[in-house]
Amino acid sequence: MKILEIFKGLFKSRDKPQDRYYFSGAPFLFGSSISGARVDEFSAMRVSAVYACVRILAESIAALPLHVYEYKDGGKERAIKHPLYFLLHDAPNPEMTSFIFRELMMAHLLLHGNCYAYIRRDNSRRVAGLYPLMPKQMSVERDDNGQIVYKYTPTKEEGQFTTSAQVTFQSWEILHVPALGFNGLIGFSPIAMARNAIGVAIATEEFGAKFFENGARPSGILEHPGVLKNPDKLREEWQKIYGGSKNTGKVAVLEEGMKYQSISIPPNDAQFLDTRKFQLNEIARIFRVPPHMIADLERATFSNIEHMSLEFVKFSLNPWVIRWEQSLNKALMTQNERGKFFVKFNVDGLMRGDYQSRMQGYSIGRQNGWLSTNDIREMEDLNPISEADGGNFYLVNGNFTKLKDAGAAYAKAGDKNG
């Protein structure tokens, strides 16, 4: 009977939702890497490249203008009076600005693969506040009816909870932005997925620190021709006089035929610097951040750095922006508001080139009739010109005509003369 029970446990039905999603194996969890260094959200952030990538992406999302729009007459306009506008644009809760809230949520998303916020609603079920939750305290499960539920264990630092017992939320009570994942419910952490690469960076950094701590020179052995009565005392005295970076360069005095012999591999031979440089690019690759944005200018030039920055917006930032927008619209808009209102980030400011390129583009758009003066002034953050002064006029060059009408004016003139 026990054997049959084991086989029943191994071969479960896969055509229905499981109670909980488990990552398939240790490589997707925080823990020790093959290099021996432990990798979690805190140790990873102590690596300068990881800190720089997380900071760049988190601050970029937080700094983007975020507005609520309403569809109007085939176009759109800002819905300033919508309750969500103030929450998303200014302050989602009494303790945080919009920038701080989005920066924190994006940092959670980059480190844990998920970010969560409790949606406080008023009596009419409209959003009245957003409060971030710690990803490590949250589990996403399905109840007996197959519905998604969020189970959260509060911490003492969180003021919005009066209990430390586990709290169960329905899906409409949680704003959840997941990163890339396996099942569509939760995302997996980039830090956990790439923990071996980050572990190498941690290990090489620790090696460099120990190298300078030991006097910025290889460790070795002291060889004495005779028998030492107290070798421990000699070792301690040697370390006291010549150990540490502050004692680098001191001249060693060896007595009684004693010799010093190096036994370690010099850092150049071990390709220490090359390893650190490679890990810099490796971590930038994980977060899809251009190396020049984390101060690696080895391959950056004056001619390509602008295009690299535009590629950062299109290929690095834009997928996160779409992920955020769709999650906000899904979680915060009521059924009646969908299709009429929507949340959108404005990335136009980041996509702008240099001043000369912008002016040339505006000139082409103005002359060919798809940009008005006020369209251009809005993109340059300038006040609009009144309708009477022609701020909303769309102009086009008068010397353009259809190919079939070419020469028609001359034909008419000839008929009159004839």
Side-chain angles (χ1 to χ4, degrees), residues 107-223:
H108 286 174
L109 185 55
L110 293 169
L111 294 173
H112 295 273
N114 300 272
C115 65
Y116 307 92
Y118 166 60
I119 306 173
R120 186 171 65 84
R121 299 180 183 269
D122 57 21
N123 295 331
S124 61
R125 295 283 297 272
R126 304 192 76 171
V127 181
L130 297 171
Y131 297 84
L133 303 174
M134 296 299 294
K136 292 183 71 172
Q137 310 300 118
M138 181 72 78
S139 64
V140 184
E141 305 178 9
R142 289 188 183 272
D143 59 16
D144 295 337
N145 298 320
Q147 300 298 315
I148 298 175
V149 293
Y150 295 85
K151 295 186 177 181
Y152 187 72
T153 305
T155 60
K156 295 180 180 180
E157 293 80 10
E158 297 174 274
Q160 64 267 33
F161 295 98
T162 57
T163 177
S164 59
Q166 189 180 71
V167 182
T168 300
F169 296 103
Q170 301 301 315
S171 58
W172 56 268
E173 297 179 286
I174 296 295
L175 167 63
H176 178 200
V177 185
L180 176 66
F182 287 127
N183 64 347
L185 294 182
I186 58 176
F188 46 69
S189 166
I191 301 298
M193 291 293 290
R195 65 177 180 175
N196 285 327
I198 297 174
V200 172
I202 295 175
T204 53
E205 193 168 281
E206 290 179 351
F207 171 81
K210 289 292 184 182
F211 175 72
F212 284 101
E213 180 187 11
N214 292 325
R217 62 182 65 211
S219 60
I221 59 174
L222 290 172
E223 183 179 350

Side-chain angles (χ1 to χ4, degrees), residues 6-22:
I6 292 174
F7 273 95
K8 288 180 180 179
L10 290 176
F11 300 101
K12 293 181 179 179
S13 175
R14 308 180 86 180
D15 58 353
K16 60 183 180 180
Q18 301 298 315
D19 292 336
R20 186 169 180 177
Y21 178 73
Y22 293 92

